[in-house]
Amino acid sequence: MPNRAPVLSLLFAVASITDWFDGFLARRWDVTSPFGAFLDPVADKLMVSTALIVLAGRYGGIVAIPAAVIMAREVGVSALREWMAQRGARDSVKVGMQGKIKAALTMVSITLMLLVPEGVGLESVAWTKYLGVLGVGGAGSVVEGIVNDGLAWMLGPSLLMLFASAFVTVTSGSVYFKAAAPVLLGKE
């Protein structure tokens, strides 16, 4: 399928929006279930992780490093929440505004990056040449004889959003670990 980028981007965007909308409605109407409470964060993490892995394969280290930071935080915070729940202190590490901003920023950056046509490489983003080895990746700017420059400009902004998401990922993760520190360190 030669023009699959818009389809992939749209599918990811729709999944992201329905993920948000489902949570919004569940809270608003107070219709949660134990299965939904389990499945929602798992589905979200699988969707984001899969897309990040695919994009890291396409663009290399420039995406792989923030992707690794994001996925490591997700595993760490999920484990922390589970551990705190076992100690009856899950509420001290419940989802906060920073976590919601991180999720939105990550999903928007992935949606935009998926919209970039396949074959558009990092050479289409001028500032990546200053990143050395990290600025090498992608597959040129021609796919099947068609120059893909229509949406190539979105790669730079989506990369910057992904970096911002990785930064917010670290700061929001630190908020959770700081809140859990008394229990983690045995002081509570």
Side-chain angles (χ1 to χ4, degrees):
M1 188 168 151
N3 291 320
R4 67 182 179 184
V7 174
L8 293 174
S9 180
L10 181 64
L11 284 172
F12 189 85
V14 167
S16 298
I17 291 166
T18 57
D19 176 58
W20 172 83
F21 193 61
D22 169 58
F24 172 78
L25 289 178
R27 286 184 299 277
R28 180 129 177 148
W29 294 342
D30 195 27
V31 287
T32 60
S33 70
F35 182 68
F38 160 75
L39 189 61
D40 185 61
V42 171
D44 170 47
K45 286 166 186 46
L46 285 174
M47 178 179 73
V48 168
S49 297
T50 301
L52 286 171
I53 290 167
V54 167
L55 291 167
R58 183 187 296 180
Y59 296 112
I62 199 164
V63 173
I65 290 173
V69 167
I70 291 167
M71 291 189 291
R73 182 263 193 202
E74 293 302 333
V75 170
V77 169
S78 293
L80 178 67
R81 285 191 179 125
E82 176 65 26
W83 188 78
M84 293 293 282
Q86 291 175 356
R87 277 142 189 79
R90 174 132 166 86
D91 283 347
S92 64
V93 289
K94 63 183 177 186
V95 177
M97 185 51 71
Q98 245 188 336
K100 292 178 182 185
I101 291 169
K102 184 253 342 156
L105 197 54
T106 302
M107 289 181 178
V108 170
S109 68
I110 291 171
T111 298
L112 294 178
M113 209 174 297
L114 287 171
L115 192 53
V116 174
E118 191 172 333
V120 172
L122 295 176
E123 73 281 350
S124 69
V125 183
W127 53 265
T128 60
K129 66 183 174 189
Y130 300 109
L131 298 177
V133 180
L134 289 179
V136 178
S141 59
V142 178
V143 171
E144 298 177 20
I146 299 170
V147 177
N148 289 317
D149 56 3
L151 293 172
W153 67 270
M154 293 186 97
L155 183 55
S158 64
L159 285 169
L160 291 174
M161 288 178 76
L162 187 63
F163 296 149
S165 175
F167 177 77
V168 175
T169 293
V170 171
T171 60
S172 68
S174 68
V175 168
Y176 296 122
F177 279 94
K178 185 177 178 183
V183 178
L184 284 169
L185 299 173
K187 294 181 180 179
E188 191 173 290

